[in-house]
Amino acid sequence: MHSSVSSFDITRQHYSVESKIVASLERISEAFRVLLWNESKENALSPIQIQILIFLLFHSEEQSKVSYLAREFNMTKATISDSVKLLLQKGLIQKIDDRTDTRSYVIGLTPEGRNIATKSAGFAFSIEKPLHSLSDQQKETILVGLLKLIQELHRAGIITMQRMCFTCSHYRAHEGTHFCTLLQSSLATHELRVDCPEHTELPKESSKT
Ligand code: SF4
């Protein structure tokens, strides 16, 4: 049950830095929505169709399935299937036989789909650009704070899909240092990954930080 405490209550924001952070994240999520919408309009596609094309551009075959995309974007399989159907009709993606499961298929980009995905993948750069002017320490503080927030939201079942170090079975933390047992290497804070191809999900209750 939700309490009546609101991060958007301006009076509360005067004394709660947490509320201010949440209100700021909401502003930034609005910026994502607007930028994605502009990109979609330009390509006569829907925002989710653009997101699917960009996701396919950067992720493995095993992640390029309707069921995986549904979890990634918190949508039903039926909704993702509809978008996939339209992208197939537009000739931007193709079905490829799944080598691991003959009843299933994976989705790949066609050359035209790849062109649009490559062009659109920079849609959020206006958000990245101002971050370049922060100090390394400021950026690391933001990164760790956001990773912890994602970890907690994942634990609470709000973010279902993520592939970052703190929820990976290869991650070890020791006295403020980070270590990856797969890469057999310590990780500096700026090397912590948000979307790692080798991520292996931890059982939720055994999260390590
Ligand atoms: S495998 Fe990737 S996500 Fe897991 S700890 Fe190593 S770098 Fe982090």
Side-chain angles (χ1 to χ4, degrees):
M1 178 119 129
H2 294 283
S3 73
S4 57
V5 171
S6 171
S7 307
F8 305 106
D9 176 341
I10 294 167
T11 312
R12 180 181 157 76
Q13 281 179 20
H14 291 326
Y15 61 86
S16 165
V17 72
E18 292 84 356
S19 285
K20 279 187 258 212
I21 292 171
V22 173
S24 306
L25 288 173
E26 192 266 346
R27 291 289 79 207
I28 293 167
S29 77
E30 260 321 286
F32 268 106
R33 202 182 60 77
V34 168
L35 292 169
L36 182 59
W37 183 246
N38 291 343
E39 195 61 47
S40 317
K41 270 197 302 199
E42 209 160 294
N43 292 287
L45 293 169
S46 70
I48 185 62
Q49 288 168 355
I50 286 283
Q51 283 177 294
I52 291 174
L53 294 181
I54 296 173
F55 185 86
L56 295 176
L57 182 65
F58 294 118
H59 292 86
S60 69
E61 258 190 23
E62 133 203 344
Q63 294 163 336
S64 303
K65 295 181 186 179
V66 168
S67 53
Y68 196 97
L69 293 170
R71 280 187 294 145
E72 176 73 18
F73 296 111
N74 294 300
M75 290 184 172
T76 63
K77 274 204 227 174
T79 308
I80 293 291
S81 292
D82 285 346
S83 295
V84 163
K85 231 180 274 167
L86 287 166
L87 289 170
L88 280 166
Q89 280 168 13
K90 287 178 193 251
L92 301 178
I93 58 171
Q94 56 197 334
K95 286 185 182 177
I96 303 164
D97 289 340
D98 185 349
R99 279 171 288 183
T100 60
D101 180 357
T102 48
R103 291 159 308 169
S104 176
Y105 64 90
V106 297
I107 305 158
L109 293 166
T110 60
E112 198 190 340
R114 182 168 291 276
N115 273 346
I116 293 183
T118 307
K119 189 178 77 56
S120 301
F123 83 90
F125 193 70
S126 323
I127 300 174
E128 177 172 328
K129 205 171 156 200
L131 292 170
H132 288 277
S133 64
L134 300 182
S135 70
D136 289 347
Q137 198 180 347
Q138 284 170 323
K139 284 183 274 198
E140 289 186 1
T141 304
I142 293 174
L143 176 63
V144 171
L146 290 175
L147 288 177
K148 290 200 167 155
L149 190 53
I150 294 167
Q151 179 186 19
E152 288 306 320
L153 292 173
H154 179 58
R155 216 179 252 159
I158 297 165
I159 293 180
T160 49
M161 193 53 105
Q162 51 67 53
R163 294 168 288 275
M164 59 110 155
C165 288
F166 291 168
T167 58
C168 177
S169 62
H170 301 296
Y171 176 78
R172 300 288 179 277
H174 179 64
E175 292 177 356
T177 63
H178 314 284
F179 191 84
C180 172
T181 57
L182 184 77
L183 304 175
Q184 280 297 306
S185 163
S186 57
L187 301 170
T189 301
H190 69 269
E191 291 172 317
L192 288 169
R193 294 184 181 179
V194 179
D195 190 353
C196 174
E198 280 89 27
H199 178 270
T200 310
E201 185 93 17
L202 259 184
K204 276 184 190 170
E205 56 287 359
S206 52
S207 215
K208 289 173 185 167
T209 55

